Amino acid sequence: MAQIQFQFGKKDEYFTPAYAVYPIIPYLRPGAAVWCPFDTQDSAYVRVFSANGFRVIYGHIQTGEDFFQADVPECDYIISNPPYSLRTQVMERLYAIGRPFAMLINFQGIFGSQKRFQLFKTHRVEMIWLSPRVEYMTGQGELLQGVPFQSGYLCSGICPNQLEFVYLDKNRPEKE
Ligand SMILES: C[S@@+](CC[C@H](N)C(=O)[O-])C[C@H]1O[C@@H](n2cnc3c(N)ncnc32)[C@H](O)[C@@H]1O
């Protein structure tokens, strides 16, 4: 494992471990269609949702599917870990699309921008706080320890309560 060194230029290329996908599943309708718009076939979202009976539609900028240009597929939910540097634009588009969504993001400073504050003031927002902190992975599959921020799911139309608190099981084996 590597000691974490979040680099500003590379802050969008951190990947989600499977254990951080499981907490969202109890909030979803079994067998629903989930669009993962920042994901390739190797993504933990694609693997875990597929193995747990969901219909998964996925796309990634590297395979030519730009979230901001893509036609919205038939889906019940939009769920992923989006690029950090584009979080405001991602939120704007998600609310414009109007489907239930859950995005795993760094919660630090999430209400600190005027634009996001206004967005969350005028739309339904829910937060699932996760403990312990999610440790992300590099593109080489290395788990980064000592993550310096708290992340969780920022959702809309997913949770009954606006604040939820969920424990992570970091040792949970991934179902094939
Ligand atoms: C934080 S990473 C998370 C990747 C994956 N969702 C996961 O959870 O492991 C966000 C990914 O979105 C990709 N991305 C950036 N801009 C995008 C866009 N406009 N449309 C689709 N994917 C994009 C980045 O290249 C990056 O790999």
Side-chain angles (χ1 to χ4, degrees), residues 12-16 37-39 43 45 59-62 65-68 80-84 86:
D12 287 347
E13 301 304 331
Y14 292 106
F15 300 88
T16 307
F38 305 104
D39 298 83
S43 149
Y45 285 97
H60 190 277
I61 194 82
Q62 280 169 1
E65 291 109 355
D66 180 346
F67 172 65
F68 299 101
S80 191
N81 164 359
Y84 177 78
L86 298 172

Side-chain angles (χ1 to χ4, degrees), residues 22-108:
Y22 288 107
I24 198 68
I25 290 183
Y27 296 94
L28 309 179
R29 189 167 50 75
V34 184
W35 180 27
C36 304
F38 305 104
D39 298 83
T40 64
Q41 62 178 2
D42 299 326
S43 149
Y45 285 97
V46 176
R47 296 196 315 267
V48 170
F49 286 144
S50 301
N52 285 273
F54 295 93
R55 188 165 72 79
V56 183
I57 307 114
Y58 60 88
H60 190 277
I61 194 82
Q62 280 169 1
T63 46
E65 291 109 355
D66 180 346
F67 172 65
F68 299 101
Q69 307 294 329
D71 291 333
V72 180
E74 274 301 311
C75 62
D76 301 297
Y77 307 104
I78 308 173
I79 303 177
S80 191
N81 164 359
Y84 177 78
S85 67
L86 298 172
R87 62 200 188 285
T88 305
Q89 296 91 321
V90 168
M91 290 299 152
E92 285 176 324
R93 174 135 160 88
L94 287 167
Y95 280 123
I97 291 170
R99 302 274 164 90
F101 68 79
M103 292 286 130
L104 181 66
I105 57 167
N106 173 357
F107 278 164
Q108 206 170 306

Side-chain angles (χ1 to χ4, degrees), residues 2 7-8 31 35 51 54 57 74-75 81 87 98 100 102 105 112 122-124 127 130 135 138 142 149 155 159 162:
Q7 296 170 28
F8 279 111
W35 180 27
F54 295 93
I57 307 114
E74 274 301 311
C75 62
N81 164 359
R87 62 200 188 285
I105 57 167
T122 52
H123 295 82
R124 167 83 183 178
M127 296 175 104
L130 302 172
E135 292 171 313
T138 66
E142 243 183 328
F149 55 81
C155 315
C159 306
Q162 283 192 281

